[in-house]
Amino acid sequence: MFNSLRYSRRDWLTISMLGSTGISQSGWLQSLASDVTKKGTSGSRNHKSIILLWLNGGPATIDLWDLKTKHENGGPFREIETSVNGIKISEHLPNLAKHMKDMAIIRSMATREGDHRRARIVGLTGYTPQGAIQFPALGALVAHEFHDPQADLPGFVSVGGRVSEDIGGGFLGPKFSPFVVGSAARRPSAGDAADLFVPDLGKPEGVTSEEYTRRLNLLKKIDLEFNTGKGNKVVETIRLANDQAVRLMRPEAAGAFRLEDEKENLRDTYGRNNFGQGCLLARRLVERGVPFVEVSLDGWDTHQDNFERVKKLSTILDTGFSALLTDLKERGMLDHTLVVCMGEFGRTPRINGSKGRDHWSASWSTVLAGGGLKTGQVIGKTSKDGTEVTSDPTRTPDLIATIVKAVGIDPTKQNMSNVSRPIRIADPSAKLIKELL
Amino acid sequence: MRFTTLLFLIGLIVPSFGAEIHPQMLAESIDKRLAELWTKEGVTPSEIVDDATFLRRVSLDLIGRIPTPSEVRDYLADSSKDKRAKLIDKLMQNGGHQRHMATFWRRSWIPQTDTNEFSRYTDDFEEWVAVRLQQKTPYNMLVNELLTIPSQPSASKLKSVSPINFYIVNENKAENLAASSSRAFLGINLDCAQCHDHPFARWTRDQFWQMAAFFVPSTIDGGKTTLAELMIPNSNKTVAAELLDGSKFIVPEKYAPESGRVVLSSWITGKNNPYFARNAVNRLWSHFFGLALVEPLDDLSSEVNTKGPQADLLKELSEAFVKSNYDLEILTKAITQTRAYQLSSGSGDSCTAESRLFARMPIRGLTGEQLYDSIQTASGLPVERGDVGQSLDARRRFTSQFRVERPIFTERSISQSLALLNGRMTNLLTDPKNNPTLAGLIDSPFLETQDKIEVLFLAVYGRKPTKKETMIIMTYLEKSECNKAFGDLFWALINSTEFNTNH
């Protein structure tokens, strides 16, 4: 499938060179009119993909992956057995418990940032903010390595609305910024996925394909008259976005976003909410060769009523995440799709006066699944009260380096930054988590 | 040698402003400084732009929209020598100026209102800024009013405009208010100090929480006002209110819950504060030149940002700004009258050396507000206004999709392109029924096709078409049904990079 999407690129730049005769018979327009949806098959790809399940707000991982039932910090949740002997997780994640063989829990995340915005930058880029350097998001770095510029689908898609709109292509440029599906206006945990569609992907009403192509042709010609020289970023991003928008309108590309093409019962198993359907959309995109998809689930900033809220969110997470793993496995895609589940930090082991938990970065957990990793294991340990990491402390750069290494990218590879200094994909201090690779 | 000369010059120039600051003189001294900088760096500035380009640029910057065709015609026909200065005066008297600048200050001070979470607090806040700007409130008074609004406002105050949303979007939390205020009014980023001492830090965690303590309601103790103390989260440490520079302060005798803020505001907005005026000038400069004199905008306290010719110019302008009694209009007039502001954007990237030296005007993207109002203007529709009871829903939807924090760093997204190419608004406006500009030219029996093209170019691009452009369009029109073809042409111009940028 991946190959079928790289096919002949016929963007509007090419069209304009064809002149006005016969345009309607050629180029993307033909495909636009023929409306053929190709079914994806995996296996022909030449790269792995990553799906990042971003638990926004800082999840109480002490109530998900590393429970402290014997300590007062533990709260009311119980632990349940998983498919791997000796590994226990929250009772509110029963379906994921069955997938433990394909998952690895890192219980020893020890980071420094306790402010949402800064912690998000660190979590999503792997770097601590430094002066003027515009660090790209992990999704941009992976898209930069793997994305075929001829492909119609973007290399980095963010589903369910982005909370940190400023973390994107960074110094790699707008080309690698995420294509955002779904608005942040609605919590991803809510709704029936009605806004997980791409608005304005079809031609304007009342305009025929032929007329539309003529318009694009006219736009292209007129736009060339605005000569700003090469390399003006502001102008280039508009041209690039217009170009990509038109390519995304092709039926094969646009079809990737048509969740209604999936069987009803499969859609049900993912959960009829934005997060669940976002996971399903992620699978469809990865199936079509998209290297990086981010699906966010907001609402984890549980300063009050932590347990009620985490219980509800756990069910949404459990349903969507486990359905994704089952689906990927059944399609033979799990080995080349790495699923990462994390937020910006964990939450205080001590329960506050409002039955809530506050920001805590000293000891928390993340989960990795599939991707050919050595799964079915737990990395690291925290103390009995959950406040300290007692073995294998893991920092964000270590995690990022391990993630990219797992999909076949050298974490020490350098990209030129906006401050004219080469910057490695992962922070130079990063150590690979060897037990996983 | 050169450095000492520069110091000498600064010493000479500042007093020469005297008590009154004249925009033209200030503009000349800016140009002088920049010329010195260009000589030193061996850079040749680009040429001065033609009248049509200047009109479009200064209209977008001062009133947030492109000029109408009649504004273009009138301006091009004006042959007076000082027409650019006259134009600046005229635009600044336009009500759209305060409204546009209110958006600018709102976005600078509370950027979180550009997120869905807080966007509903935008309008009231902008209304307060716009009203105060119309009243010609000096900048220091504006900020002082914001920082010291009473915790329990009287009934009469409740009805009038107010900056209360500054507190609401900071969730009324002392730590958020401290971080926001230092960034917004001092150009200092304290965010990292909230959790720990930054490795290269100028500011410690204690200092952050000492600053935050000013935002906690003060108490009354034995008839004496006492500023509150704050416990640093996840620690056992309690700190008392302290100013960032450690200077002494006096707590007002008469008790008010906002006493801490009153103390803080008199330090922030005081004449001796080393950051307050510089931050205002630096931000306003970036509004007109894309880049600020000193970047990043929120790092004025860093060592590197207090040295060098740009930092010297910033200091000099700030001193003039203080002398003018924080008059934003004088500063705005001075900046827009400089030769530097009139330089062409030439070719190449906006962030290259020439742009950083202000030897060339960078090409900037348009904010969502500028783009929406300009599309309306190009269509011959009046700009929608909330203060005369019009619904701003459509404008709000559009601006939330086309969010731009810094126009010079704009990145158009695929979704935005799709909206502009295929969205309902664009599609409606390609129909003469909804587009007075198109309706007007199609219905004119006396206009030749070439004249019609010119009308459309004046409306959308604010200039006449070139011969080549006319030729391209004539060819297109020959092969199309005429009325529809003008709709196509309008669609193409609206989606072009020339229309979508400020150049």
Side-chain angles (χ1 to χ4, degrees):
Chain A
M1 184 58 209
F2 179 65
N3 287 329
S4 72
L5 272 186
R6 358 160 121 153
Y7 64 101
S8 47
R9 170 181 172 191
R10 300 273 197 276
D11 55 31
W12 62 305
L13 295 145
T14 331
I15 291 167
S16 64
M17 293 190 285
L18 298 172
S20 55
T21 53
I23 277 177
S24 62
Q25 301 304 312
S26 60
W28 57 268
L29 188 67
Q30 191 182 23
S31 312
L32 196 66
S34 67
D35 199 36
V36 182
T37 315
K38 288 179 188 166
K39 285 267 182 301
T41 53
S42 50
S44 64
R45 71 186 53 248
N46 51 14
H47 65 77
K48 289 187 179 178
S49 291
I50 296 174
I51 297 175
L52 170 63
L53 307 179
W54 181 257
L55 309 186
N56 196 60
T61 53
I62 189 171
D63 299 317
L64 300 173
W65 316 113
D66 187 12
L67 274 66
K68 300 293 170 187
T69 50
K70 291 184 189 107
H71 192 277
E72 60 177 301
N73 287 348
F77 291 2
R78 288 179 306 164
E79 281 183 308
I80 52 168
E81 299 283 344
T82 65
S83 59
V84 177
N85 245 346
I87 301 181
K88 291 179 185 175
I89 59 173
S90 156
E91 60 179 323
H92 302 297
L93 302 168
N95 292 302
L96 282 170
K98 294 175 203 153
H99 284 278
M100 195 60 226
K101 283 199 173 111
D102 293 317
M103 295 160 54
I105 304 173
I106 302 170
R107 286 182 174 159
S108 52
M109 291 302 299
T111 55
R112 290 189 56 180
E113 301 292 343
D115 166 69
H116 289 293
R117 197 181 74 89
R118 289 179 61 85
R120 260 175 222 141
I121 297 176
V122 177
L124 291 168
T125 68
Y127 279 88
T128 304
Q130 288 167 37
I133 307 175
Q134 294 156 3
F135 291 107
L138 176 62
L141 289 163
V142 173
H144 182 245
E145 295 301 315
F146 287 158
H147 189 235
D148 182 339
Q150 308 296 310
D152 285 346
L153 286 170
F156 176 13
V157 180
S158 175
V159 183
R162 297 201 96 215
V163 195
S164 294
E165 286 147 13
D166 51 339
I167 310 170
F171 59 67
L172 294 175
K175 219 169 153 177
F176 299 101
S177 292
F179 175 59
V180 181
V181 183
S183 74
R186 293 170 55 181
R187 294 225 150 158
S189 54
D192 53 0
D195 63 356
L196 281 192
F197 91 120
V198 183
D200 306 319
L201 197 51
K203 293 181 278 83
E205 212 176 300
V207 179
T208 66
S209 296
E210 192 170 338
E211 285 166 346
Y212 197 69
T213 311
R214 280 171 46 78
R215 272 189 185 183
L216 287 172
N217 191 10
L218 177 66
L219 167 57
K220 175 67 192 162
K221 273 190 184 153
I222 289 180
D223 206 41
L224 282 176
E225 296 304 300
F226 186 52
N227 188 8
T228 57
K230 260 210 165 323
N232 182 282
K233 270 199 190 138
V234 173
V235 172
E236 290 302 311
T237 75
I238 298 172
R239 290 187 174 147
L240 187 73
N242 279 346
D243 181 19
Q244 287 179 322
V246 172
R247 279 155 61 190
L248 200 61
M249 289 170 68
R250 299 188 67 247
E252 286 92 337
F257 299 93
R258 280 218 310 264
L259 288 173
E260 60 271 27
D261 288 352
E262 294 287 338
K263 288 199 179 96
E264 287 295 314
N265 60 358
L266 182 70
R267 292 192 69 181
D268 291 340
T269 61
Y270 272 90
R272 290 284 185 164
N273 53 65
N274 276 359
F275 176 74
Q277 300 300 301
C279 288
L280 175 56
L281 180 54
R283 190 222 79 210
R284 286 177 68 85
L285 293 169
V286 166
E287 202 170 27
R288 287 160 173 80
V290 175
F292 196 100
V293 185
E294 176 184 281
V295 185
S296 62
L297 178 59
D298 199 3
W300 296 92
D301 197 16
T302 50
H303 291 282
Q304 295 95 26
D305 293 323
N306 173 72
F307 301 99
E308 277 307 303
R309 291 163 68 188
V310 169
K311 192 176 151 186
K312 277 188 196 139
L313 287 164
S314 294
T315 304
I316 294 169
L317 176 68
D318 185 55
T319 311
F321 190 176
S322 65
L324 176 66
L325 292 179
T326 308
D327 202 5
L328 288 173
K329 199 159 192 177
E330 279 172 6
R331 288 166 191 258
M333 292 166 66
L334 190 58
D335 272 350
H336 52 77
T337 308
L338 175 62
V339 185
V340 180
C341 177
M342 68 183 286
E344 59 262 46
F345 39 62
R347 305 202 77 83
T348 42
R350 202 174 60 82
I351 300 161
N352 70 23
S354 323
K355 290 183 188 153
R357 295 187 190 271
D358 303 314
H359 303 178
W360 186 257
S361 56
S363 50
W364 51 289
S365 309
T366 59
V367 165
L368 306 176
L373 288 180
K374 287 182 193 155
T375 50
Q377 60 166 332
V378 166
I379 310 286
K381 237 187 203 169
T382 51
S383 55
K384 276 182 191 157
D385 63 356
T387 58
E388 271 176 86
V389 168
T390 53
S391 82
D392 305 303
T394 308
R395 296 164 324 111
T396 315
D398 307 335
L399 180 70
I400 299 278
T402 307
I403 289 171
V404 298
K405 183 79 181 169
V407 296
I409 297 170
D410 176 5
T412 64
K413 195 194 151 184
Q414 299 181 325
N415 292 306
M416 190 48 77
S417 74
N418 58 313
V419 293
S420 303
R421 208 177 83 199
I423 300 222
R424 292 192 191 184
I425 287 181
D427 188 286
S429 68
K431 290 190 202 75
L432 291 172
I433 309 170
K434 294 234 165 62
E435 298 89 329
L436 286 171
L437 296 165
Chain B
M1 180 63 196
R2 186 170 289 278
F3 185 62
T4 46
T5 318
L6 201 64
L7 282 177
F8 179 62
L9 279 171
I10 293 170
L12 272 183
I13 283 175
V14 175
S16 74
F17 290 135
E20 215 166 298
I21 304 291
H22 298 286
Q24 187 53 46
M25 280 175 62
L26 194 53
E28 281 163 17
S29 77
I30 294 171
D31 280 329
K32 190 155 177 275
R33 286 279 171 260
L34 290 176
E36 289 164 5
L37 178 61
W38 299 333
T39 312
K40 185 178 150 228
E41 300 283 338
V43 173
T44 314
S46 61
E47 74 280 16
I48 298 219
V49 291
D50 61 29
D51 283 339
T53 310
F54 181 75
L55 172 65
R56 187 177 185 276
R57 177 187 296 173
V58 80
S59 298
L60 281 166
D61 284 338
L62 288 177
I63 59 170
R65 63 161 174 83
I66 57 167
T68 64
S70 66
E71 285 167 348
V72 180
R73 283 200 197 92
D74 290 351
Y75 186 68
L76 296 184
D78 185 352
S79 56
S80 59
K81 253 191 160 176
D82 57 346
K83 64 193 268 189
R84 294 197 178 184
K86 270 173 26 195
L87 172 66
I88 291 164
D89 286 348
K90 194 180 127 203
L91 291 172
M92 287 178 67
Q93 280 156 24
N94 181 317
H97 175 57
Q98 282 84 21
R99 181 170 113 140
H100 181 56
M101 295 317 288
T103 302
F104 166 75
W105 289 114
R106 191 263 306 157
R107 182 162 287 140
S108 306
W109 292 340
I110 37 175
Q112 61 268 53
T113 45
D114 273 342
T115 63
N116 291 317
E117 198 179 354
F118 295 116
S119 58
R120 63 183 179 281
Y121 300 108
T122 305
D123 294 354
D124 287 349
F125 190 84
E126 287 189 10
E127 197 190 342
W128 169 74
V129 182
V131 166
R132 290 293 175 267
L133 293 179
Q134 272 153 19
Q135 293 166 341
K136 302 196 187 294
T137 308
Y139 176 80
N140 59 337
M141 304 285 284
L142 190 69
V143 176
N144 185 61
E145 182 186 347
L146 182 150
L147 285 174
T148 61
I149 57 164
S151 299
Q152 287 129 6
S154 59
S156 63
K157 282 250 167 141
L158 271 177
K159 279 182 212 144
S160 57
V161 291
S162 141
I164 185 77
N165 287 353
F166 180 80
Y167 296 83
I168 294 176
V169 302
N170 283 304
E171 300 167 278
N172 266 313
K173 284 188 189 164
E175 60 269 39
N176 294 2
L177 288 161
S180 270
S181 304
S182 14
R183 185 186 293 125
F185 309 122
L186 300 175
I188 293 177
N189 186 339
L190 287 181
D191 296 18
C192 23
Q194 186 171 344
C195 295
H196 49 79
D197 298 347
H198 196 269
F200 328 104
R202 299 168 287 279
W203 312 109
T204 63
R205 188 173 70 154
D206 285 4
Q207 279 180 301
F208 175 83
W209 291 98
Q210 285 163 348
M211 168 102 172
F214 286 106
F215 288 96
V216 180
S218 49
T219 51
I220 186 155
D221 190 10
K224 206 177 151 226
T225 307
T226 315
L227 298 192
E229 298 197 331
L230 248 186
M231 168 111 98
I232 301 178
N234 300 318
S235 81
N236 300 319
K237 199 168 179 182
T238 303
V239 293
E242 278 293 341
L243 294 169
L244 276 181
D245 65 353
S247 59
K248 296 271 173 285
F249 57 87
I250 301 159
V251 181
E253 269 180 34
K254 190 171 171 286
Y255 170 75
E258 63 273 14
S259 292
R261 289 191 275 116
V262 171
V263 171
L264 181 65
S265 178
S266 63
W267 175 73
I268 285 184
T269 65
K271 285 203 157 104
N272 295 325
N273 190 298
Y275 309 114
F276 180 66
R278 276 166 68 213
N279 171 64
V281 175
N282 202 38
R283 285 182 186 271
L284 197 67
W285 182 281
S286 80
H287 176 72
F288 293 101
F289 286 98
L291 289 168
L293 277 164
V294 162
E295 293 272 356
L297 285 167
D298 60 359
D299 200 16
L300 284 186
S301 63
S302 98
E303 189 109 337
V304 289
N305 284 341
T306 52
K307 286 188 190 133
Q310 284 99 324
D312 290 341
L313 175 54
L314 176 59
K315 188 162 176 280
E316 196 177 324
L317 271 176
S318 308
E319 283 162 4
F321 181 52
V322 175
K323 276 217 176 86
S324 74
N325 193 26
Y326 301 92
D327 190 325
L328 288 167
E329 292 197 353
I330 289 179
L331 186 59
T332 302
K333 280 181 192 172
I335 290 175
T336 46
Q337 283 182 32
T338 57
R339 180 166 181 266
Y341 178 72
Q342 301 174 51
L343 296 179
S344 102
S345 53
S347 60
D349 186 38
S350 298
C351 292
T352 51
E354 285 89 351
S355 294
R356 288 193 191 283
L357 299 172
F358 308 102
R360 178 159 67 75
M361 181 59 85
I363 294 179
R364 292 167 278 161
L366 301 182
T367 63
E369 292 84 359
Q370 284 174 325
L371 184 55
Y372 185 86
D373 292 349
S374 295
I375 292 173
Q376 297 284 115
T377 305
S379 312
L381 297 163
V383 169
E384 292 160 8
R385 285 171 53 188
D387 56 349
V388 293
Q390 285 171 322
S391 162
L392 291 177
D393 289 352
R395 187 177 189 262
R396 214 173 281 131
R397 270 198 305 277
F398 186 90
T399 55
S400 81
Q401 184 166 19
F402 285 81
R403 258 175 209 145
V404 170
E405 201 181 332
R406 296 277 309 268
I408 192 168
F409 302 124
T410 326
E411 290 182 4
R412 179 62 53 90
S413 73
I414 302 175
S415 320
Q416 290 169 344
S417 275
L418 286 170
L420 214 51
L421 290 166
N422 303 333
R424 188 163 175 271
M425 175 182 170
T426 320
N427 200 33
L428 285 175
L429 293 178
T430 53
D431 185 341
K433 272 193 298 215
N434 309 307
N435 185 324
T437 300
L438 284 178
L441 66 94
I442 288 166
D443 292 344
S444 290
F446 311 111
L447 287 181
E448 297 289 326
T449 307
Q450 287 208 10
D451 301 329
K452 289 182 178 179
I453 296 170
E454 186 177 304
V455 170
L456 201 56
F457 262 71
L458 286 177
V460 186
Y461 278 180
R463 64 169 173 88
K464 293 176 179 168
T466 63
K467 270 191 189 141
K468 191 171 168 207
E469 283 163 337
T470 309
M471 214 178 68
I472 293 170
I473 292 157
M474 293 290 275
T475 317
Y476 185 81
L477 294 176
E478 276 164 23
K479 287 172 189 143
S480 320
E481 189 233 314
C482 192
N483 288 2
K484 227 175 175 173
F486 277 105
D488 292 345
L489 180 55
F490 182 81
W491 177 92
L493 295 181
I494 288 292
N495 278 291
S496 69
T497 46
E498 178 166 345
F499 179 75
N500 280 274
T501 51
N502 187 357
H503 33 80

